[in-house]
Amino acid sequence: MTAPSLPRRQAMRAAALAWQSGCAAMDRMTPPAAARACYVPDGPSLAELEAAIRADRVARALLHRAAA
């Protein structure tokens, strides 16, 4: 397998930065606000989204504590 080309590496870095920016924006929201931002009709309910967001935040906090 060859190394990724420069444009591919740039695209991957841009995608990673966009993902990081989106995660940071969601983390600045309260769980109910983040759930409302994620809601789409016919998808998970607001309560399900909020529960998933809370669980994700707890899991990430535990990972950060374990790594410290």
Side-chain angles (χ1 to χ4, degrees):
M1 185 189 245
T2 62
S5 64
L6 185 58
R8 179 178 165 87
R9 275 187 264 153
Q10 289 172 334
M12 291 175 71
R13 179 162 172 74
L17 290 173
W19 179 267
Q20 182 181 30
S21 175
C23 288
M26 293 296 287
D27 285 344
R28 288 190 297 271
M29 295 180 190
T30 64
R36 285 191 301 274
C38 294
Y39 178 77
V40 292
D42 297 323
S45 69
L46 286 173
E48 291 170 321
L49 289 169
E50 187 175 337
I53 290 163
R54 287 183 191 280
D56 177 67
R57 289 180 182 184
V58 167
R60 286 187 289 132
L62 291 174
L63 285 173
H64 288 297
R65 285 189 201 126

